Amino acid sequence: SAPAELHTWPNDFVVEWTMYFIANMSLTPPYTSIPPTPNFTTGRTHYHVSSDSVRSMRETYDQRCIPVFPPFQGNDFGCSFINANAGPSNGTSYVLFDHRRPPSVPACCIIGRPFHPPPPDFAHSMPVRYRDRGTGSMVDWNVVWDKDAGPFAYGFNSHTSAPAVFYMTGIMASTIPVWMYQVFDHFQPGKVPPPSVWEVPEVCDTAVACPGWEPSHDHDA
C-alpha cells in the first residue's frame, strides 16, 4: 500500500452518512460492494470547535441506533449522541433515544463524564496509516487496533480530504458481534451547526449512565 497523507477535519462541518450493521464477521471491511443487510440507518454528524480545548459534536442515527449498548436486544429505534461545549475535563456525552425505544431503554442516558469530542487532527495520532482502493476509491486510512474491540478505522478521501468510510465492531443482543460500516456523503466543510443542534431536553437533567456504560465498566473517552 502507498503512504497515506494526513488529513484534518475543519473546525465546523456537517456530513451525511449511511451506517450498515453486518453480522457476518468473516466479511472483513473495507468493501468495494457492501454486503446485503436489512440492518442499516441513515444519519448525520455535526461538529463545531469553539476554541483549542472546547468542542461540540452530535451524531444522529435516524432509523437504527448504533449497537454499542450490549444489554439491548435490538436496535430498531433512532438515537442521538450529543457532546456540547465540552472541554478536556467538563464534558458530558448524552444519548437520546427516540419514541420507538422499548420500555427498558431510557429516553436519555450518559456514556461519559468527562467526555469530549475528538480534535480536528485526531487522525494524526492514530498509529497505522496507509492508502488503498479497497472501497473502489482512493482512501487514506488511519487505524487503531484494540486487542479486545478490534480495528477502529477512519478513512478520508485521498483527493478531497472529505470523510470517506469508518468501521469498527459492535455488539448486538449482548453477545452477537457485528461490523459497523459507515459511508459518508454530502460533506459540508465550514458549515456551522445551528444552536438547536446542541439542545439537550430536560429529561437529561436526571440522566444516569447508559446500560452497559456504568462507571464499573471500562470505557475510554
Side-chain angles (χ1 to χ4, degrees), residues 24-203:
N24 188 341
M25 294 299 289
S26 67
L27 301 176
T28 305
Y31 308 118
T32 304
S33 179
I34 297 171
T37 175
N39 197 344
F40 64 91
T41 183
T42 57
R44 68 210 52 82
T45 299
H46 296 83
Y47 185 79
H48 173 64
V49 175
S50 303
S51 69
D52 288 345
S53 60
V54 179
R55 301 181 289 270
S56 299
M57 189 171 183
R58 175 172 179 151
E59 294 182 297
T60 296
Y61 299 78
D62 294 328
Q63 295 87 16
R64 292 178 178 270
C65 193
I66 189 171
V68 293
F69 306 97
F72 294 177
Q73 294 304 301
N75 71 328
D76 52 347
F77 45 90
C79 63
S80 290
F81 291 68
I82 304 177
N83 197 190
N85 297 314
S89 60
N90 69 343
T92 299
S93 186
Y94 295 99
V95 187
L96 309 179
F97 299 100
D98 72 15
H99 66 281
R100 293 171 296 154
R101 68 187 187 279
S104 60
V105 175
C108 178
C109 60
I110 295 170
I111 63 166
R113 179 189 285 160
F115 199 106
H116 58 285
D121 63 352
F122 74 94
H124 296 205
S125 62
M126 297 174 76
V128 178
R129 289 190 289 273
Y130 62 93
R131 171 180 287 184
D132 72 10
R133 290 186 177 272
T135 66
S137 300
M138 192 66 78
V139 170
D140 287 333
W141 289 101
N142 310 271
V143 185
V144 172
W145 184 273
D146 183 271
K147 63 181 178 60
D148 298 317
F152 179 99
Y154 196 101
F156 290 87
N157 183 295
S158 298
H159 304 296
T160 68
S161 288
V165 175
F166 165 73
Y167 67 86
M168 62 179 290
T169 59
I171 299 292
M172 294 286 290
S174 300
T175 59
I176 303 170
V178 295
W179 287 114
M180 303 188 296
Y181 192 76
Q182 188 175 32
V183 180
F184 297 99
D185 189 30
H186 194 46
F187 181 50
Q188 301 173 73
K191 182 176 178 62
V192 179
S196 60
V197 165
W198 315 119
E199 292 178 357
V200 175
E202 288 185 3
V203 68

